[in-house]
Amino acid sequence: MHVEVPAVPRALAAGFTRFTHAFAPRHPAQVIVLGFAAAVAAGTGLLLLPAAKAGGGGASLLEALFTATSAVCVTGLITVDTPVFWSGFGQVVILVLIQIGGFGVMSFGTLLGVLTARRLGLKSRISAAAETKSSGFGDVRRVLVGVLLISAAVEAALALILTLRFMAGYGYPLGEAVWHGVFHSVSSFNNAGFALYSDNLMGFVGDPWICLPIAAAVIIGGLGFPVLFELGRQYRRPIHWSMHTKLVLVGSGTLLAGGTVFLTAVEWANPATLGGLHPAERLLAGFFQSVITRTAGFNSIDIAQMHPVSWLGMDILMFIGGGPAGTAGGLKITTFAVLFFILSTELRGGTAVNVFGKRLSRAVHRQAITVVLLAIALVTGATMFLMLITDFGQERILFEVISAFATVGLSTGITAAIPPAGQLVLILLMFVGRLGPVTLGAALALRERPLLYEYPKERPLIG
């Protein structure tokens, strides 16, 4: 039997369809941004519940929003003391937000490569596949399963190690040891830096059974899923590794070694940081802080008591960050490696940028320069704004801004004292810093269009 649908409902339905279509995300990056925004909103709502705050009452909107953003963006900056301010329920919410944010960054970052490759032409698609070496640009399900399995395996192993150490070395009851082990395991692998201690991990500065496993998880999470997947398939054949994997591994090793030597040397005689420790503990603390500075927000020494030169060096390490499509923040090692090879080629008078026996696409040159310059502009603007509304010194404010933008989470202790307007700026920096490089890189790749004509060349004077 045919039923005639009235004209008015049909018109309303058609209008609603056109309305939703007009505001629907049309770019893969838009989907990611909206997804993370929804996670932040949901987390804020849960942390506003009276049950989330220890001692009753409830958190303010700014406190809940700041903590939720920091957790979802796996940063670690806090305006309230996590183990004191938040109840057990609130800490569980933070843990879940960290897990969602970390898994989302790894999976969405990798899937963005899948979607980007599908939108590019055949030549660019082959190039992208060769560069990333992901698990096949058509196999989305395999990508997600791979990310999930790696995350679960690393977090479970670290949780077990930490649980046993808390029980055997510190006398924690089984339940408390498991909770602390799981929380810090998730926070470590996802490079979040949240801790269940008011002094973060300063109480374990000389304990290698705590510091080294956490550092290992941070490094693994910071390499990025494409690198981990390729190493799993071809760990015995380095000659076949992609340019991306080689850049991440060489860059990570260089920055870890350089950061360890730099921080240990500068802080060696500082009685407020490394000076009061035994030599072996100083080396452990220097290495741990070098690992953490590039990606996670843990600290085993008092950041506020470090030398300003150390802060400046840490600014550089935080700004560079870790590998793409992982849980690390910053502008990523590959971005700065590309700039390094461009600079090296220019100084040598070369015409093509060659990296590990492969020629680098000129489009990648422009994308790297664009991302870095936009990031510098954002960090500079935020620093100038905070200098106008606070009385803190430039070195502390710059450290805070870069820590937020690079989603590191280290602080010289001024986060809670920054006015609400400044905290809102930090919230924006954490959100943009977490998604900005990923989405901007994809957007630049997807906007690439072949030109049908070129203008005549001309050279302005440089320098």
Side-chain angles (χ1 to χ4, degrees), residues 22 69 128 190 228 267 292 307 339 370:
T69 305
N190 291 288
L228 297 177
E267 298 296 327
I292 297 305
H307 195 283
L339 294 182
T370 301

Side-chain angles (χ1 to χ4, degrees), residues 40-392:
V40 169
T44 302
L46 290 173
L47 292 178
L48 282 173
L49 297 174
K53 184 177 179 298
S60 68
L61 177 59
L62 184 58
E63 290 168 340
L65 176 62
F66 194 100
T67 303
T69 305
S70 184
V72 172
C73 297
V74 290
T75 304
L77 281 177
I78 55 175
T79 57
V80 295
D81 191 353
T82 302
V84 175
F85 186 87
W86 301 110
S87 66
F89 171 75
Q91 293 172 16
V92 170
V93 170
I94 292 173
L95 180 67
V96 172
L97 293 177
I98 291 172
Q99 188 69 79
I100 291 174
F103 179 77
V105 168
M106 290 193 76
S107 58
F108 283 137
T110 307
L111 289 177
L112 212 54
V114 175
L115 297 173
T116 300
R118 285 179 173 175
R119 293 275 296 275
L120 296 175
L122 178 60
K123 182 178 178 181
S124 299
R125 187 182 305 180
I126 294 174
S127 236
E131 289 171 4
T132 60
K133 293 288 184 182
S134 65
S135 58
F137 280 103
D139 196 348
V140 174
R141 181 178 176 275
R142 190 177 176 187
V143 170
L144 291 176
V145 171
V147 172
L148 181 62
L149 291 178
I150 290 175
S151 301
V154 176
E155 290 177 3
L158 178 58
L160 178 60
I161 294 173
L162 294 180
T163 298
L164 294 176
R165 181 57 181 167
F166 286 137
M167 291 176 61
Y170 299 93
Y172 285 20
L174 177 60
E176 185 179 0
V178 170
W179 167 238
H180 280 243
V182 170
F183 187 95
H184 292 96
S185 172
V186 172
S187 185
S188 300
F189 178 71
N190 291 288
N191 289 203
F194 279 88
L196 295 179
Y197 305 96
S198 297
D199 61 355
N200 208 272
L201 298 180
M202 291 174 60
F204 308 103
V205 62
D207 190 342
W209 291 100
I210 297 292
C211 292
L212 291 181
I214 287 178
V218 168
I219 292 172
I220 293 172
L223 290 178
F225 173 75
V227 173
L228 297 177
F229 190 87
E230 184 170 0
L231 290 179
R233 289 187 297 114
Q234 303 192 78
Y235 67 95
R236 293 183 177 177
R237 298 186 294 173
I239 194 173
H240 296 296
W241 290 351
S242 65
M243 179 195 298
H244 172 85
T245 295
K246 292 177 180 178
L247 285 176
V248 172
L249 293 178
V250 173
S252 296
T254 302
L255 292 175
L256 286 175
T260 300
V261 172
F262 172 78
L263 293 176
T264 304
V266 175
E267 298 296 327
W268 186 268
N270 185 349
T273 55
L274 300 183
L277 304 174
H278 296 298
E281 293 177 338
R282 297 183 196 184
L283 294 175
L284 174 63
F287 169 75
F288 183 79
Q289 211 55 59
S290 174
V291 172
I292 297 305
T293 298
R294 288 184 38 249
T295 177
F298 293 115
N299 62 282
S300 62
I301 56 177
D302 191 350
I303 303 297
Q305 301 299 321
M306 296 180 76
H307 195 283
V309 172
S310 296
W311 291 343
L312 183 58
M314 294 167 75
D315 287 341
I316 298 172
L317 293 175
M318 290 191 296
F319 196 64
I320 294 175
T327 55
L331 290 184
K332 307 300 184 288
I333 294 172
T334 49
T335 303
F336 280 86
V338 166
L339 294 182
F340 170 80
F341 282 104
I342 291 175
L343 175 63
S344 176
T345 301
E346 194 65 28
L347 292 177
R348 289 186 288 103
T351 56
V353 180
N354 299 316
V355 181
F356 299 125
K358 300 288 182 66
R359 183 170 58 86
L360 200 64
S361 167
R362 292 189 179 275
V364 177
H365 304 186
R366 299 191 301 269
Q367 292 167 14
I369 293 171
T370 301
V371 170
V372 170
L373 290 180
L374 287 176
I376 291 174
L378 184 61
V379 167
T380 302
T383 301
M384 294 173 67
F385 177 76
L386 290 182
M387 289 176 66
L388 288 174
I389 66 172
T390 68
D391 296 325
F392 298 113

